[in-house]
Amino acid sequence: MAYVSLEDWRPIDVDSLEPNAFEVVKSDTNKFVIAGPGAGKTELLAQRACYLLQTGICLNPKRILAISFKKDAARNLAERVKMRTSIQDASRFDSYTFDAFSKSILDRFYLALPEVWRPSLPYKIVNYTRRQWSEFLTGANIPNYIGHINTLQGRNWEEFYKHDLLGEKLPQDGLEVTDELSWASSKWWENSINTGGVSRLTFPMIGRLAELILRYNPQLLRVLQQTYQFVFLDEFQDTTHVQFDLVETAFASANSVLTAVGDHKQQIMRWAMALDDPFGLFQNKFNGTNVPLIRNYRSSPDLVRIQDAISAIVDPSPNETEAMQDTAVEGDVCSIFEFEDAAHEAEYLADLISEMIEEHDLNPRDFAILAKQLVADYVPELDRAFREVDLSVRDESQIQDLLTEPFTKLVLLSLRLAFGAESYQHLWAELSGLLAFLRGVDDDENGVNHLHESLDQFLDELKSSYLAIPDQKEEIDSLLSSIVGYFEEPSIKSAYPAYRHGEWFDELKENLSSHLFEYVTDSQSWDELLDSFEGKNSIPVMTIHKCKGLEFHTVFFLSLEDRSWWSFQRDPEEAQSAFFVAFSRAKQRIVFTTHRGDRRNLVGGLYEVLIDAGVSVRSIQR
């Protein structure tokens, strides 16, 4: 194929990149990019992939590896590359989450582990909790020469899990037992791997095993390094010590060029073992150079001004941000509303959002209702109030990850085109492009025509077989099996590596089937069912952690008060970063709510920074 010369290559589908971003796109050295909200971090990585693939710098059979923290970020990046490159180029861009990357290594090469560390295949992915730690301590039988149970009882679960169980790279021959904590770690690993026939592992444990595989199999490590000439690391501020060790083992001794992007002001995963200073480690281990980005393509100038004031409490020396969007609303872009109680709050917000949708031609997905945690506690009151104005809200925590799966997208496109009206024909190019990608069909006219005829026939058969909405879950199972059969399961698994091993793909199909069936009763047509499943007509309610990477016209942040920020005192830096992340989701307007009489001792600093930035406070009367 013909390549674009280095001098002639230009960014694709965007007017321009800021100079520092363009420098990173064309870089041949390790860079870590510090970029605030709305700076276009994902776009930068997509453009860099296009540059490397289209100029032939990353020449076949070399590949690009992108590792993101969240599933939707990995999917979003992969889709941007597919839209901007040929099928052949996109097929050499592998976009994983850290968890999926670790799991792919373990699933393919688990036999390379020493027997003491070798899990069963399949194994079960679990989330261990304090309860299991308590049960473990209750049944612990420590040999007298090792120590005493009292030492373990003084260790809480979080400390044990992060520092003792996962704190260091695994030694090849098993853990050396020298005291109570190392004995407990050794026993925990032994129980997880060998007890009960099927191993039980968390994703961080899988990460430790994957790193061990690479460290003690030099030939396998060389193959990995020779395969991936370029490596992207997205949302790098949330990288854990387990994940960093895996990247270091995999690529510190390689000639691969690494590009890490993130924002230390948005580090909200410290509770999940995120490193204190991942960018400093990257600089030391990979000799990376810091490149800042200063533009904000998301938020209006007034919101960016307040955002900069908030960022100053997280970063004492922030860069001044350049807003690239215009203000499109009248009145206050940021307000604090004070209510009598939660019922009053829900009723007022329902009326307000209903009016904004009507007056400004917005839709429910232009809004988000955020909470620091425990979203389920807010939903019943919100649901009651919003139903009164013919709107609905939905807790996104259970379904958000499912909606980001590539297989889910494949199913939804197929169903929309098979059962939808003519208005969905614009999706035809997207589905036929996915089919061409899965089948490896190039731009040959005969091949493309045959592909289109085949897809038309499949959609007609799907429509004739399932025209009525299934009233039994088994029928939805059968429908999904028909879609998998047409698009070919081996092709799907080949295109999306996370589905290749273990029971992940089967579990995904079952999860998707169950969630689709939940909407059968209240739907009169396929369009209604799919709209409900995708949440098209409901306002999303989510935690700050779930909203990361998303953006909305208007954001409502509930309960800026101590009772909702009880963890503030334990880790004020993470809480401040979470506040910054929540604020930066808004494109045009954000509203914070409080309740009369509730205390703001812990969050007083957050409240005051808003007041100092000129944010108005309104007492909302019934």
Side-chain angles (χ1 to χ4, degrees), residues 304-346:
V304 168
R305 176 184 60 80
I306 302 171
Q307 184 176 294
D308 281 348
I310 296 171
S311 73
I313 66 174
V314 182
D315 181 1
S317 55
N319 293 315
E320 186 173 345
T321 309
E322 181 182 350
M324 306 300 290
Q325 286 291 337
D326 295 327
T327 300
V329 296
E330 297 180 357
D332 293 334
V333 300
C334 182
S335 305
I336 300 172
F337 289 176
E338 186 180 73
F339 296 97
E340 292 179 13
D341 51 40
H344 181 207
E345 173 184 74

Side-chain angles (χ1 to χ4, degrees), residues 551-570:
E551 57 184 37
F552 306 91
H553 177 280
T554 298
V555 169
F556 295 89
F557 193 102
L558 305 183
S559 300
L560 183 58
E561 51 222 4
D562 290 355
R563 65 185 176 91
S564 298
W565 291 73
W566 49 266
S567 61
F568 192 101
Q569 199 165 19
R570 185 178 62 195

Side-chain angles (χ1 to χ4, degrees), residues 425-612:
Q425 289 306 306
H426 67 283
L427 301 176
W428 164 261
E430 189 172 2
L431 183 59
S432 60
L434 275 174
L435 178 59
F437 174 71
L438 293 173
R439 299 277 175 86
V441 175
D442 56 23
D443 297 330
D444 174 70
E445 185 175 351
N446 290 332
V448 170
N449 288 339
H450 176 74
L451 197 77
H452 289 177
E453 292 172 2
S454 169
L455 183 56
D456 273 333
Q457 182 179 349
F458 166 68
L459 294 174
D460 287 341
E461 292 172 354
L462 204 63
K463 183 174 183 178
S464 63
S465 300
Y466 300 97
L467 183 57
I469 298 176
D471 57 6
Q472 300 292 326
K473 182 179 175 299
E474 289 74 16
E475 292 181 83
I476 294 182
D477 292 339
S478 175
L479 184 152
L480 294 185
S481 294
S482 297
I483 294 174
V484 171
Y486 175 73
F487 288 99
E488 301 175 357
E489 185 167 330
S491 297
I492 296 172
K493 290 183 174 180
S494 177
Y496 305 109
Y499 301 158
R500 291 177 189 171
H501 307 283
E503 300 176 352
W504 200 330
F505 188 60
D506 291 335
E507 292 172 358
L508 172 60
K509 286 188 292 183
E510 174 58 29
N511 194 17
L512 177 55
S513 176
S514 297
H515 276 86
L516 282 170
F517 188 66
E518 287 180 12
Y519 294 97
V520 165
T521 303
D522 296 328
S523 302
Q524 301 300 314
S525 68
W526 273 107
D527 273 352
E528 284 188 23
L529 189 154
L530 297 175
D531 284 349
S532 298
F533 174 75
E534 293 184 70
K536 286 192 172 182
N537 297 316
S538 61
I539 292 102
V541 186
M542 61 183 74
T543 63
I544 297 171
H545 293 92
K546 287 293 183 181
C547 81
K548 187 76 189 302
L550 303 177
E551 57 184 37
F552 306 91
H553 177 280
T554 298
V555 169
F556 295 89
F557 193 102
L558 305 183
S559 300
L560 183 58
E561 51 222 4
D562 290 355
R563 65 185 176 91
S564 298
W565 291 73
W566 49 266
S567 61
F568 192 101
Q569 199 165 19
R570 185 178 62 195
D571 195 339
E573 290 183 16
E574 180 175 313
Q576 290 164 352
S577 293
F579 185 75
F580 179 75
V581 167
F583 188 96
S584 63
R585 299 309 97 195
K587 294 191 287 186
Q588 292 293 332
R589 178 178 282 129
I590 184 167
V591 173
F592 295 92
T593 74
T594 66
H595 298 152
R596 291 200 249 305
D598 282 344
R599 294 193 304 175
R600 290 193 296 266
N601 296 331
L602 296 177
V603 299
L606 302 180
Y607 190 87
E608 289 303 319
V609 76
L610 294 176
I611 301 302
D612 291 344

Side-chain angles (χ1 to χ4, degrees), residues 103-122:
K103 186 176 186 299
S104 69
I105 294 172
L106 178 61
D107 290 352
R108 293 170 65 191
F109 305 112
Y110 76 105
L111 290 175
L113 284 167
E115 188 172 353
V116 66
W117 294 113
R118 191 180 304 155
S120 63
L121 195 68

